[in-house]
Amino acid sequence: MGQHKNKRASADAEEELEVYELMKSLAADDALNEEPRRGLAEILEGRTLTFLRGVARAQKIRGFSRMDRAALLAAVMAALTDPDKLRSNLLSLHALEWTLFQDVAAAGILQRDSALFHSYLRPRALGLIFIFLHNDHIFFVVPDEIRAIYAGLKKSEFFAEQELRRLMSRYASAAAELYGAISVDTLTQIFNSQNSRRQISLPFMIEVLSGAERLDIGFVVWNGCVVSDELASGGFDEVESLFETVNDMPRYIPGKAEFLSYADPHKYLRTPQTAALIRYLDRELGLGPVELLEDIVHDISDAFRIGLELPDIIDTVIDAGVKPTTEQARRLTELVEDINDHTRRWEEKGHTPRDLRRAYKRYVEPLREPAEEAPHRIGRNDPCPCGSGKKYKKCCYLKENIG
């Protein structure tokens, strides 16, 4: 156990060192290996032309590629000090990016040699946060001009819109995980049905999600649809194929709390069924560590969800050095089938196989017409069905066939 903790601590230390080196590399690329500065003009003055053009692109400044350095500096300075643009850029930040911005904005200059690398990249690209390398330490800076504009925002309105945008993005992330792909129109209808006090329009949903997709939170917006980045990575032909498969099938739409739980794939993969298989592998077969077992079992659940070829659990166990008995193999198969039975599938519009069986029994079977029984043929020597007590050939058969 202690050895496992030591390995994890060592891995964390290596990752922290790697992030530090990445930050140093960025600072060097930005040509700011100097004492940190506070004023936006002097900060921009020391930046490379490549960096300035990157900020201009992120700020959507028209014609920046044809500007000389002086004109580009003036255009970037104007964009970064525009209150409306600053508000819009801040609203587009992911939660981790926003946390870093707040920390740095509160201090003005913040010395921190370690930070979540991805939480810095977008604020850097937008020109909201700058880094300096000084005396082999990394400093984050939010220029005084940006801090002043941020301080003047109407915080209650800003935070209310920020919360709404994040909620909309969570709905999109959840829908991408649950369905694979969904039209923005349908997603907007689901959002409005579950948030009666926060009704939004389709254009606003498109605007918010088109900005949010750059934040690496599990989806992209394509052709009026929210698409799982996992599905989109295989090409958009697969998206069209999925829509053709589900066609007019009714969609599984859970309540708000469950719906939003799918925004965290690690959370919804932890089901009673996956937990049962992990326990069996750990306690009955002695495999481990548990973290590795979780990865194996969640891969199985994920394969069912998105329709990939399922890894053979028996082969996985044998590869780990354990040869299961016949009874153990049977139990493993049962546990995997139970996961399959409770996994919500893209190709079933979020339904599980268990859902579909229940729906069939409830709605379809009662509508099926009972099969017509084949007419019973009466033998000539059988008792006559009229109840006379005579044989059929000496009673009604004569009447029916002779007249």
Side-chain angles (χ1 to χ4, degrees):
M1 187 68 153
Q3 188 177 8
H4 181 64
K5 285 185 177 178
N6 289 337
K7 285 183 179 178
R8 177 172 288 185
S10 175
D12 289 344
E14 288 180 10
E15 185 177 350
E16 191 169 310
L17 178 61
E18 184 179 345
V19 169
Y20 172 66
E21 294 299 332
L22 284 169
M23 290 291 184
K24 283 179 64 176
S25 174
L26 275 179
D29 290 344
D30 296 346
L32 281 181
N33 192 344
E34 59 187 11
E35 187 174 352
R37 302 177 181 182
R38 290 180 174 274
L40 182 59
E42 57 181 344
I43 291 174
L44 293 177
E45 187 62 46
R47 295 285 163 163
T48 64
L49 189 61
T50 300
F51 176 85
L52 293 174
R53 285 174 175 164
V55 174
R57 183 179 297 106
Q59 293 290 342
K60 299 179 181 178
I61 297 173
R62 293 182 179 179
F64 71 87
S65 61
R66 298 186 297 275
M67 296 178 183
D68 60 22
R69 183 178 177 85
L72 184 59
L73 273 171
V76 170
M77 184 81 178
L80 295 181
T81 53
D82 181 316
D84 291 334
K85 277 195 173 184
L86 177 62
R87 186 178 190 278
S88 177
N89 289 330
L90 291 177
L91 285 170
S92 75
L93 297 183
H94 186 270
L96 292 175
E97 297 165 342
W98 171 249
T99 298
L100 179 62
F101 175 83
Q102 280 191 306
D103 290 347
V104 181
I109 298 177
L110 181 66
Q111 190 271 308
R112 184 185 288 178
D113 290 334
S114 178
L116 289 172
F117 188 63
H118 293 294
S119 68
Y120 169 69
L121 290 180
R122 181 159 169 76
R124 168 184 178 265
L126 290 168
L128 301 175
I129 300 178
F130 299 83
I131 56 173
F132 291 78
L133 182 64
H134 182 57
N135 291 337
D136 217 30
H137 288 291
I138 294 168
F139 294 82
F140 294 83
V141 177
V142 171
D144 288 342
E145 292 87 343
I146 293 178
R147 292 177 71 207
I149 297 170
Y150 169 63
L153 291 176
K154 293 181 179 179
K155 295 297 194 295
S156 59
E157 293 179 6
F158 176 83
F159 289 134
E161 183 172 347
Q162 184 184 59
E163 181 185 358
L164 175 60
R165 285 171 174 257
R166 287 182 180 173
L167 181 61
M168 293 162 68
S169 295
R170 285 187 67 204
Y171 264 88
S173 297
E177 289 291 340
L178 183 55
Y179 306 125
I182 185 174
S183 72
V184 180
D185 187 17
T186 302
L187 179 61
T188 304
Q189 292 175 34
I190 293 173
F191 183 95
N192 287 336
S193 71
Q194 297 185 349
N195 297 273
S196 58
R197 296 183 180 180
R198 291 177 163 183
Q199 299 293 286
I200 60 171
S201 67
L202 177 60
F204 184 51
M205 178 69 92
I206 292 172
E207 174 197 332
V208 170
L209 299 187
S210 296
E213 66 171 338
R214 297 171 295 187
L215 305 177
D216 191 27
I217 53 177
F219 67 88
V220 296
V221 178
W222 171 80
N223 199 25
C225 299
V226 171
V227 180
S228 162
D229 55 4
E230 195 171 6
L231 179 61
S233 65
F236 290 110
D237 287 347
E238 292 194 16
V239 182
E240 293 176 340
S241 176
L242 176 62
F243 278 126
E244 289 174 3
T245 300
V246 298
N247 200 11
D248 295 328
M249 183 183 298
R251 187 181 303 280
Y252 172 72
I253 304 176
K256 181 176 179 178
E258 183 188 340
F259 194 100
L260 290 175
S261 72
Y262 294 99
D264 178 4
H266 299 293
K267 181 178 179 180
Y268 84 77
L269 284 171
R270 298 187 187 104
T271 65
Q273 292 74 36
T274 57
L277 179 55
I278 291 168
R279 279 196 306 272
Y280 191 82
L281 293 170
D282 179 33
R283 298 175 186 177
E284 299 298 325
L285 298 183
L287 298 177
V290 171
E291 290 82 357
L292 175 61
L293 298 181
E294 286 178 345
D295 288 342
I296 292 171
V297 173
H298 293 168
D299 283 347
I300 291 172
S301 180
D302 223 26
F304 282 132
R305 178 176 64 96
I306 64 181
L308 294 179
E309 183 178 348
L310 179 67
D312 190 315
I313 186 64
I314 308 299
D315 288 345
T316 302
V317 169
I318 292 173
D319 290 344
V322 175
K323 186 175 181 180
T325 65
T326 301
E327 175 57 27
Q328 288 172 335
R330 183 194 66 77
R331 181 59 181 149
L332 283 169
T333 302
E334 280 182 355
L335 290 168
V336 171
E337 287 176 352
D338 200 31
I339 291 174
N340 172 42
D341 215 28
H342 290 81
T343 297
R344 302 207 170 277
R345 297 167 176 264
W346 287 356
E347 293 183 351
E348 310 293 355
K349 271 192 176 177
H351 291 286
T352 67
R354 185 166 175 260
D355 289 341
L356 297 178
R357 283 199 309 274
R358 285 182 168 183
Y360 183 84
K361 287 180 179 179
R362 183 173 181 182
Y363 299 110
V364 179
E365 283 191 353
L367 300 177
R368 295 178 65 187
E369 294 183 3
E372 292 185 8
E373 294 185 7
H376 174 63
R377 183 177 178 183
I378 306 169
R380 295 178 72 243
N381 291 315
D382 291 342
C384 188
C386 74
S388 66
K390 299 178 182 179
K391 289 185 178 181
Y392 178 54
K393 66 181 180 181
K394 292 186 177 181
C395 188
C396 290
Y397 175 80
L398 296 173
K399 299 174 185 175
E400 292 170 1
N401 294 282
I402 300 176

